[in-house]
């Protein structure tokens, strides 16, 4: 049960530069993008941001990020990173549009590039790990930890919103089902969204559900494994279900056309009475 092209198994978008490469053109939308680059020891990767803003987020390992915003203007940030996405929160670096970025890693590693097409050019900045807000969302079998490193109210970007979620094995997250595919002032934002998954331990997997909020809308029931991605251009999404004994990680990358950068969601009415939302 999959709308064509919305579940992207590991390797489906890989090329000679990235193991994951999802741009707006590939996704069939306007703003949000995600890349994952793997570096061997002493490896480097260089890219230009073009008309987008990008966050360099270590998934495994540390790196040095150099950001050139003009011929005589360069910032350099040392990212300590982490041993895995399940180990801890990571520090990160923000690169504005119209810049040149180089990532270098002495030990090697894997690094996510979360991006969005944007208009404003903000300064290059460092995001320290201790300043990342972490919240426990939900309770019981629906509890999960949300790392709001680039949430709308925690780190300034033009359009990009990005968070990490770690769901314990056997739990549900992205629950109750919710959506953000309409502009309803004060109630709902219009946001494209990418889910990028990693599962802890060998042979681990999970499930992701997206179902229509309108006739002919997105409809996905996918078994997801490490390196998979699911696109959410519209629709109710949730739950994300972690296999017992295998924690699930996902990186959410969002962006949209709204005048204000905000994350406002509507819960599915069939589930609100029994759950009360994120309780």
């Amino acid at each position: 049960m999959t709308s064509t092209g919305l579940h992207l198994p590991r390797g489906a978008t890989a090329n000679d530069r990235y193991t994951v490469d999802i741009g707006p053109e590939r996704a069939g939308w306007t703003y949000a993008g995600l890349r994952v680059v793997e570096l061997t020891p002493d490896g480097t990767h260089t890219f230009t941001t073009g008309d987008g803003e990008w966050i360099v987020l270590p998934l495994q390992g540390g790196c040095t990020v150099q950001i050139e915003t003009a011929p005589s203007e360069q910032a350099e940030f040392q990212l300590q990173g982490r041993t895995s996405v399940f180990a801890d929160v990571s520090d990160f670096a923000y690169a504005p549009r119209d810049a040149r970025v180089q990532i270098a890693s002495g030990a090697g590693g894997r690094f996510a590039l979360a991006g969005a097409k944007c208009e404003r050019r903000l300064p290059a900045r460092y995001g320290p790990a201790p300043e990342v807000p972490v919240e426990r969302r939900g309770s019981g079998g629906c509890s999960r930890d949300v790392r709001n490193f680039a949430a709308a109210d925690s780190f300034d970007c033009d359009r990009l919103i990005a968070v990490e979620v770690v769901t314990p094995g056997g739990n549900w997250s992205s629950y109750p089902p919710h959506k953000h595919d309409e502009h309803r002032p004060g109630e709902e934002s219009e946001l494209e969204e990418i889910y990028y998954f990693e599962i802890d331990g060998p042979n681990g997997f999970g499930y992701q559900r997206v179902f229509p909020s309108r006739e002919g809308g997105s409809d996905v029931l996918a078994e997801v494994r490490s390196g998979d991605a699911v696109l959410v251009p519209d629709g109710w999404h949730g739950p994300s279900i972690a296999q017992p004994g295998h924690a699930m990680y996902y990186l959410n990358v969002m962006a949209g056309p709204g005048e204000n950068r905000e994350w406002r969601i509507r819960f599915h009415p069939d589930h609100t009475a029994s759950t009360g939302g994120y309780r």
Side-chain angles (χ1 to χ4, degrees), residues 55-263:
I55 284 179
V56 179
L57 175 72
L59 300 174
Q60 180 268 314
C63 64
T64 300
V65 180
Q66 293 182 340
I67 303 172
E68 184 180 294
T69 53
S72 59
E73 296 179 8
Q74 181 171 291
E76 181 174 300
F77 306 112
Q78 301 288 336
L79 303 189
Q80 180 177 343
R82 52 193 168 184
T83 57
S84 83
V85 295
F86 299 100
D88 209 347
V89 176
S90 180
D91 51 358
F92 60 95
Y94 173 90
R97 59 171 293 159
D98 303 315
R100 180 180 181 274
V101 181
Q102 182 185 76
I103 305 169
S105 179
R110 293 183 304 110
F111 306 94
L113 309 177
K117 288 189 176 182
C118 65
E119 288 76 41
R120 288 190 302 148
R121 194 184 196 213
L122 302 177
R125 279 162 293 142
Y126 172 71
E131 295 183 12
V132 173
V134 179
E135 63 171 306
R136 173 61 57 89
R137 185 176 292 169
S139 60
C142 293
S143 66
R144 62 275 200 188
D145 290 331
V146 183
R147 303 164 178 170
N148 292 301
F149 70 97
D153 57 356
S154 64
F155 187 84
D156 190 26
C157 298
D158 185 34
R159 292 195 177 275
L160 176 65
I161 297 173
V163 303
E164 300 179 300
V165 179
V166 178
T167 306
N171 280 19
W172 285 22
S173 62
S174 277
Y175 186 80
H178 58 280
K179 77 180 189 79
H180 41 69
D181 58 12
E182 296 180 84
H183 175 60
R184 294 170 172 250
E187 182 181 1
E188 183 178 352
S189 312
E190 184 180 351
L191 295 168
E192 307 156 352
E193 183 166 19
I194 300 169
Y195 276 68
Y196 167 78
F197 295 90
E198 297 200 1
I199 311 295
D200 192 25
N203 305 313
F205 61 88
Y207 288 94
Q208 176 66 41
R209 183 72 171 111
V210 183
F211 56 100
S213 59
R214 61 191 70 164
E215 186 174 353
S218 298
D219 197 353
V220 178
L221 175 56
E223 182 176 292
V224 293
R225 298 177 182 271
S226 290
D228 287 13
V230 170
L231 308 179
V232 187
D234 58 76
W236 304 101
H237 40 291
S240 305
I241 304 172
Q243 177 189 11
H246 296 265
M248 168 191 280
Y249 163 94
Y250 51 86
L251 170 61
N252 290 140
V253 181
M254 294 169 275
E259 183 177 341
N260 297 319
R261 174 177 171 257
E262 57 184 356
W263 182 72

